[in-house]
Amino acid sequence: MTQRLDYRSIAPDGAKAFMGVSAYLARCGLPKILIDLVFVRTSQINGCAHCIDLHSHDLLKEGLSVDKLLLVPVWREAGSLFDERERAALLLAESVTNVATTGIPDADFEVARRVFSDKELADLFTAIAIMNAYNRIGVGFRAAPGALTR
């Protein structure tokens, strides 16, 4: 895969604005592992190899087991490997990422609302939204996964 454009060098102010949202998420109070699980699942749905690679490595550095990482795409079948909050966040990541087909049903929102505060829900939606935006840039400009550049 050949990168089409290097967004960060061509539009540094735009990249800086995106990084501002990422910096907010780093201090919002949600566990980093939870945010990165949402980032990986969103990126898997959108097919962004760069983001899957980046956030998978982050999760491994944070101590997530390889077994659990491998089961993110099939978290529903993974039993108790994912806790209630992780399952709710992954459900929300899928529902919001596929908004054109899901419409984010009340049932999905209510699953998340039972285990997250309103502030945490707002932050989860922000995380999912920013990752969807990053994915569109990554896929659109063909950002290479780190595995190809390491």
Side-chain angles (χ1 to χ4, degrees):
M1 172 171 61
T2 302
Q3 184 168 323
R4 292 175 173 164
L5 292 174
D6 180 359
Y7 172 76
R8 289 174 293 204
S9 66
I10 294 168
D13 289 344
K16 185 187 265 186
F18 271 73
M19 291 306 297
V21 175
S22 296
Y24 166 77
L25 289 170
R27 64 180 190 279
C28 75
L30 287 172
K32 182 164 175 29
I33 285 181
L34 185 73
I35 291 172
D36 281 328
L37 281 171
V38 165
F39 285 173
V40 166
R41 185 65 191 123
T42 300
S43 300
Q44 289 169 336
I45 293 165
N46 290 322
C48 185
H50 173 79
C51 294
I52 293 167
D53 179 72
L54 176 68
H55 297 291
S56 292
H57 280 89
D58 287 348
L59 283 164
L60 293 171
K61 286 180 206 166
E62 293 158 24
L64 190 78
S65 72
V66 171
D67 291 337
K68 190 169 181 175
L69 178 59
L70 291 172
L71 292 174
V72 168
V74 292
W75 61 269
R76 285 178 178 85
E77 289 80 34
S80 62
L81 188 61
F82 294 91
D83 68 30
E84 186 178 23
R85 285 169 59 92
E86 291 168 337
R87 288 191 306 271
L90 290 166
L91 175 66
L92 203 57
E94 291 177 357
S95 190
V96 173
T97 298
N98 292 311
V99 66
T101 55
T102 69
I104 313 170
D106 290 342
D108 292 355
F109 187 81
E110 290 306 320
V111 165
R113 181 167 241 170
R114 283 194 291 274
V115 295
F116 293 109
S117 70
D118 288 351
K119 165 78 165 57
E120 289 172 325
L121 278 172
D123 291 339
L124 271 174
F125 268 82
T126 299
I128 296 162
I130 195 68
M131 188 48 52
N132 272 286
Y134 274 126
N135 291 164
R136 277 137 182 84
I137 290 170
V139 172
F141 293 145
R142 304 290 190 258
L148 297 177
T149 59
R150 287 192 271 279

